[in-house]
Amino acid sequence: MRKTPIVRVNGADFGLPAFPLTLKLELLQHAGSFKTRGAFTNLLTRKVPAVGVAAASGGNHGAAVAYAAHKLGIPAKIFVPSISSPAKVQRIRDYGADLVVGGDRYADALAACEGYIAQSGALSVHAFDQAETLLGQATLGLELQEQAPEVTTVLSGVGGGGLLGGILAWYAGRVKVVGVEPDGAPTLAKALEAGKPVDAEMGSIAADSLAPKRVGELMFPLARQYGSGVRLVSDEEIRLAQRALWKVLRIVAEPGGAAAFGAILSGRYQPEPGEQVAVVVSGGNTTAVDFDR
């Protein structure tokens, strides 16, 4: 995995009130998203059988596991649902993994993957509910603290919660950490309301990265102990965030990657005077820009 850069901008650059803003550009990570951190941590710290590894994914985790497996010479079988972005599916194929596309949602891919693991003995590399996955994602928090020690608040998108959980585990309450998720897939919001992970809706333009059935069991205690709540953003607010990142900075973020910035742009999260906010732009596996036109 690589150390990804930050960009320091100002809210005024986007037509907002003036306040400092740091963007952590995780879309520049190998395989196009933060997921590569957890993938390598799993493959390098666990015993991998000869049959290799298997993973279910909305797309980004699958691409990350396929990339890590390719680099380490390990067989990989990846299961994704039909809603997975063509850009993500192509990445998985390009890295040489055995790809299975089936079902409508991540939960369908996970069920198929679990069946294969039970039959084959492959090592399961869970997208978010695995200790090594959380440990790998926590390295983003480590980097951000080194790059921007002035930051007092971090906004991160939430699907299963692996990234948010890793960031929460790293900072352990030293800064304010806020989750952002689509209002059509409020996994963490529902869990916090219920006091435990529960099934939530799974509809959003970011459904291939931020819409599992429920948030992870491992990250949920971290969210309760160290988290500062959740902000929900609409699909339109996510689209506007994608457009603004492209227009102002020429950053091409996928919907899930732009969701956290959508909370800032829409005013769903409004920084207090003196607050130093960092936003994770978590992925860029999208066909939003077509250079053939």
Side-chain angles (χ1 to χ4, degrees):
M1 53 194 174
R2 62 163 57 110
K3 186 173 183 177
T4 56
I6 62 170
V7 173
R8 288 185 171 91
V9 294
N10 195 287
D13 298 333
F14 299 92
L16 300 170
F19 57 84
L21 185 62
T22 298
L23 302 180
K24 176 65 168 165
L25 303 184
E26 200 62 9
L27 75 164
L28 299 180
Q29 185 59 259
H30 291 298
S33 84
F34 73 93
K35 294 283 191 179
T36 302
R37 298 174 183 275
F40 268 110
T41 303
N42 271 278
L43 272 58
L44 290 171
T45 62
R46 301 170 68 194
K47 185 174 181 179
V48 180
V51 68
V53 299
S57 171
N60 280 338
H61 177 64
V65 172
Y67 174 81
H70 173 71
K71 287 296 183 181
L72 298 173
I74 296 170
K77 194 176 186 77
I78 308 297
F79 296 78
V80 301
S82 58
I83 62 167
S84 186
S85 162
K88 299 175 185 181
V89 169
Q90 190 58 51
R91 270 197 184 269
I92 295 169
R93 290 197 171 111
D94 288 345
Y95 296 140
D98 184 5
L99 177 65
V100 178
V101 181
D104 295 328
R105 299 290 178 184
Y106 167 76
D108 301 320
L110 180 60
C113 182
E114 290 173 340
Y116 169 74
I117 289 168
Q119 174 268 322
S120 68
L123 178 70
S124 172
V125 183
H126 199 282
F128 52 87
D129 209 17
Q130 176 75 36
E132 290 81 2
T133 303
L134 287 167
L135 180 63
Q137 317 314 19
T139 63
L140 188 152
L142 166 63
E143 282 184 14
L144 182 57
Q145 181 176 318
E146 291 175 343
Q147 293 168 317
E150 74 281 2
V151 162
T152 60
T153 302
V154 180
L155 269 63
S156 168
V158 184
L163 176 57
L164 186 72
I167 295 171
L168 287 164
W170 172 258
Y171 280 108
R174 297 193 306 274
V175 305
K176 185 177 180 181
V177 180
V178 179
V180 180
E181 53 191 1
D183 57 14
T187 53
L188 182 55
K190 290 279 188 179
L192 291 171
E193 182 181 316
K196 62 181 180 180
V198 293
D199 290 355
E201 304 94 302
M202 296 182 287
S204 168
I205 59 168
D208 67 341
S209 60
L210 300 184
K213 184 179 290 187
R214 60 172 62 190
V215 77
E217 297 283 345
L218 292 177
M219 73 78 58
F220 184 67
L222 296 167
R224 295 191 75 178
Q225 182 175 358
Y226 298 126
S228 295
V230 181
R231 301 296 187 275
L232 300 179
V233 291
S234 68
D235 282 356
E236 182 57 25
E237 287 164 345
I238 292 173
R239 290 189 186 96
L240 290 172
Q242 285 182 284
R243 293 175 186 140
L245 288 170
W246 172 248
K247 181 179 179 181
V248 176
L249 297 172
R250 284 300 185 260
I251 288 173
V252 182
E254 63 184 271
F261 182 68
I264 290 287
L265 190 67
S266 66
R268 302 287 180 181
Y269 186 86
Q270 297 184 18
E272 298 291 335
E275 192 171 0
Q276 300 281 334
V277 178
V279 175
V280 181
V281 184
S282 57
N285 287 319
T286 174
T287 54
V289 177
D290 182 358
F291 289 107
D292 292 329
R293 289 187 294 183

